[in-house]
Amino acid sequence: MMTLIDAHSHLWLVQNTRWNGLEIRTLRNGRSMFLGEERQMLPPFMIDGRNTAEVFLSNMDYAQVQAAVVVQEFIDGQQNGYLAEVSRRYPDRFFCYGMADYLRPGFYEEALRLIAVDKFHGLAIPAHRLLGQPLNGPEMMKMFKLMEGNDVLLSITLADGDQQVGELREVIEECPRLKVAIGHLGMANPPVTPPWENRSWQEQMKLARHENVMIESGGITWLYNDEFYPFPSAVRAIREAAGLAGMDKLMWGSDYPRTITAITYRMSYDFVLKSTEMTDGEKRLFLGENARRFYGFGPLVDLPYIKNMSE
């Protein structure tokens, strides 16, 4: 059985927050009020709006995904309390990131509590929502030094292209032992007409040439949603990223549950599994072995294939 580890997913009990003065709030039937409009945030059968670990585990078991990494985003609201509980209840299935409120001065103390009290082994930063607040500023650097000294991992999503690459490069060089996972495959944008209109996402890939930096592909099926399954341009983007950083530096991520309003959870990796443009060895690295090494997962659950009624 091939190792399958999802390196980018989300969990929450309820969405109840604001962003840029606009409301984000759970409604019903999988919908949320999102920045002034009603959006299908979850599949419609998740009628209570609760995006729980148990529902995700059911999806994971069905799709034979043995473990998952749970990151955080400002648009979901802070989920530290719930994710600390998930980490305690399912330590062999989930690696969960904490998230401080980086928008407020003094977030270092909150990060310290998340590490020392709540026992998070990773902190997530949605840096694409912090434009104008330098990643290499004094308080951020103090936090990164803390993380490096305590073997706490960093999950970070950068703004499109190379806008924040220089700042993160300085962090990586200043904290060489800090383990960093860069999200969303650098927001690799789909080709419109050759050559690609914007190639600056490649600069994010080059950061993974540093020893302790990895790239995960969370949400790549969303980036290529117009193309849809089997996402041939997404496969080509993965191959291009591998050419820049090495296939041993790339990890599959689904961006569950947002992406499964359009496709099934299994489809979020099946397009890679069935691609003829990647070798079996490359698929094993990308779909699970790289994440297993980076996150230090121990023995993984055995998940036999269960036939569908339609088979």
Side-chain angles (χ1 to χ4, degrees):
M1 175 180 171
M2 183 175 291
T3 298
L4 296 170
I5 296 176
D6 187 343
H8 187 115
S9 65
H10 300 273
L11 294 174
W12 62 77
L13 290 181
V14 63
Q15 286 183 313
N16 183 18
T17 189
R18 301 183 72 84
W19 182 253
N20 287 340
L22 296 173
E23 184 181 33
I24 302 170
R25 175 172 51 87
T26 296
L27 300 176
R28 59 185 181 87
N29 297 339
R31 299 174 186 175
S32 290
M33 180 57 62
F34 183 74
L35 306 181
E37 64 176 322
E38 192 170 325
R39 298 289 290 271
Q40 193 72 45
M41 187 70 64
L42 301 169
F45 53 79
M46 296 169 71
I47 59 175
D48 61 359
R50 289 165 56 90
N51 172 32
T52 66
E54 288 72 25
V55 172
F56 191 19
L57 283 169
S58 181
N59 273 283
M60 290 166 62
D61 290 353
Y62 171 75
Q64 296 177 283
V65 174
Q66 292 131 311
V69 177
V70 183
V71 302
Q72 293 199 57
E73 235 276 30
F74 289 138
I75 62 171
D76 299 326
Q78 285 180 292
Q79 304 291 329
N80 294 319
Y82 180 54
L83 294 187
E85 177 188 344
V86 169
S87 296
R88 290 190 294 268
R89 293 178 65 185
Y90 307 107
D92 59 332
R93 302 299 300 274
F94 292 114
F95 180 102
C96 296
Y97 279 95
M99 182 180 71
D101 186 355
Y102 310 108
L103 296 165
R104 299 176 184 274
F107 61 80
Y108 173 85
E109 295 300 326
E110 184 181 3
L112 182 60
R113 288 193 300 273
L114 290 171
I115 295 168
V117 179
D118 295 323
K119 306 301 182 184
F120 279 104
H121 298 291
L123 296 180
I125 300 181
H128 60 307
R129 304 194 188 279
L130 298 175
L131 284 173
Q133 182 175 331
L135 299 175
N136 52 359
E139 190 169 15
M140 278 288 188
M141 290 304 300
K142 183 180 179 182
M143 183 182 73
F144 292 139
K145 288 287 188 181
L146 171 73
M147 294 169 65
E148 182 186 35
N150 287 274
D151 297 320
V152 174
L153 282 66
L154 169 65
S155 168
I156 189 164
T157 296
L158 299 178
D160 293 4
D162 59 1
Q163 298 178 70
Q164 295 173 303
V165 166
E167 294 174 7
L168 184 57
R169 183 184 297 113
E170 183 173 324
V171 172
I172 293 166
E173 292 173 351
E174 187 72 19
C175 305
R177 292 183 293 107
L178 177 65
K179 296 177 71 174
V180 181
I182 299 173
H184 295 303
L185 204 75
M187 298 295 284
N189 45 329
V192 180
T193 55
W196 291 15
E197 289 190 346
N198 180 3
R199 312 278 291 187
S200 59
W201 67 276
Q202 293 178 326
E203 298 307 308
Q204 294 191 36
M205 302 302 99
K206 294 175 185 177
L207 290 174
R209 294 173 179 174
H210 292 267
E211 181 180 0
N212 288 314
V213 180
M214 300 286 285
I215 304 287
E216 45 91 342
S217 70
I220 195 168
T221 60
W222 160 63
L223 293 173
Y224 293 89
N225 181 64
D226 289 345
E227 185 178 80
F228 204 65
Y229 187 90
F231 307 107
S233 295
V235 175
R236 287 194 289 272
I238 293 167
R239 290 213 54 80
E240 184 165 5
L244 292 165
M247 191 62 77
D248 62 330
K249 287 303 193 88
L250 306 182
M251 303 181 290
W252 162 65
S254 71
D255 209 7
Y256 175 99
R258 297 185 234 280
T259 49
I260 64 166
T261 57
I263 59 174
T264 67
Y265 185 47
R266 184 185 292 274
M267 288 168 71
S268 68
Y269 71 81
D270 190 61
F271 76 97
V272 171
L273 203 59
K274 291 181 178 175
S275 173
T276 60
E277 297 188 40
M278 295 173 65
T279 68
D280 288 346
E282 289 172 331
K283 293 173 185 177
R284 281 193 291 272
L285 290 174
F286 179 70
L287 291 174
E289 292 301 336
N290 290 339
R292 184 175 191 168
R293 167 177 50 84
F294 185 71
Y295 284 103
F297 282 104
L300 297 171
V301 63
D302 183 33
L303 296 171
Y305 179 72
I306 305 298
K307 291 179 67 174
N308 294 318
M309 280 297 295
S310 59
E311 293 182 86

